[in-house]
Amino acid sequence: MSTQWGQDPYGPSSERYGPYGSSASADPYGSAEQHEAADPYGTADPYGAADPHGAPQRGAGVPDPYASLPSGLSQGRYAAPGYAVAVQPAPPSSGLGIAGFVIGLLGLTLCGTLVSPVGLVLSILGMRETSPTATSPKGGRGLTITGLILSIIGTVALLLIIAYFVVMFVIAGVAAGSGY
């Protein structure tokens, strides 16, 4: 059975029915007019009644969010619309606190705790700089506290190592003096 392009291979009956046996002219989902008439949202506007991303609509019963702000903020000179934020720049970080952190970290990892007392002193000075009661408090308090903790651990480890060698020398001296 050979068919030419444009001819229906199923014969004249396929004009009344689609390829799956149903009527080709029947809309299985109903007509577009039916759907528009039964709009569940109550509006025929496809984008909604109001733009949700547009400017806020102020009307009766809606409080003004800018009413309690100073006049410069209420006009939006210093903040974006809807936000009343006064941003202050962060204070500069404490150089002593950062140095205490770096030396405390090096004392634990690379230098075998020999520089940990130096890191302890720098971290204590950095804590004084970053204290909220300082005349001009600096930032970096978290690094300073971490440097202080690392330096304390390194200093305690250094003291334990020194105590170990002192005890070993004392035991060696006592053993040498008693003839063993």
Side-chain angles (χ1 to χ4, degrees), residues 57-67:
Q57 302 293 323
R58 292 197 184 112
V62 178
D64 184 12
Y66 303 112

Side-chain angles (χ1 to χ4, degrees), residues 92-105 119 122-123 126-127 129-130 139-141 143-145 147:
S93 295
S94 168
L96 291 172
I98 293 172
F101 170 74
V102 170
I103 291 176
L105 187 63
L122 290 175
S123 293
M127 289 291 287
E129 278 188 352
T130 60
R141 187 148 176 95
L143 279 177
T144 307
I145 291 171

Side-chain angles (χ1 to χ4, degrees), residues 12 35 70 89:
H35 292 294

Side-chain angles (χ1 to χ4, degrees), residues 19-109:
Y20 303 109
S22 64
S23 173
S25 64
D27 184 9
Y29 302 109
S31 65
E33 291 82 24
Q34 284 178 322
H35 292 294
E36 288 176 5
D39 186 12
Y41 300 108
T43 177
D45 185 10
Y47 300 107
D51 184 12
H53 302 290
Q57 302 293 323
R58 292 197 184 112
V62 178
D64 184 12
Y66 303 112
S68 63
L69 298 176
S71 64
L73 288 176
S74 65
Q75 297 168 0
R77 283 182 24 205
Y78 303 111
Y83 295 96
V85 181
V87 179
Q88 295 179 349
S93 295
S94 168
L96 291 172
I98 293 172
F101 170 74
V102 170
I103 291 176
L105 187 63
L106 287 176
L108 279 182
T109 57

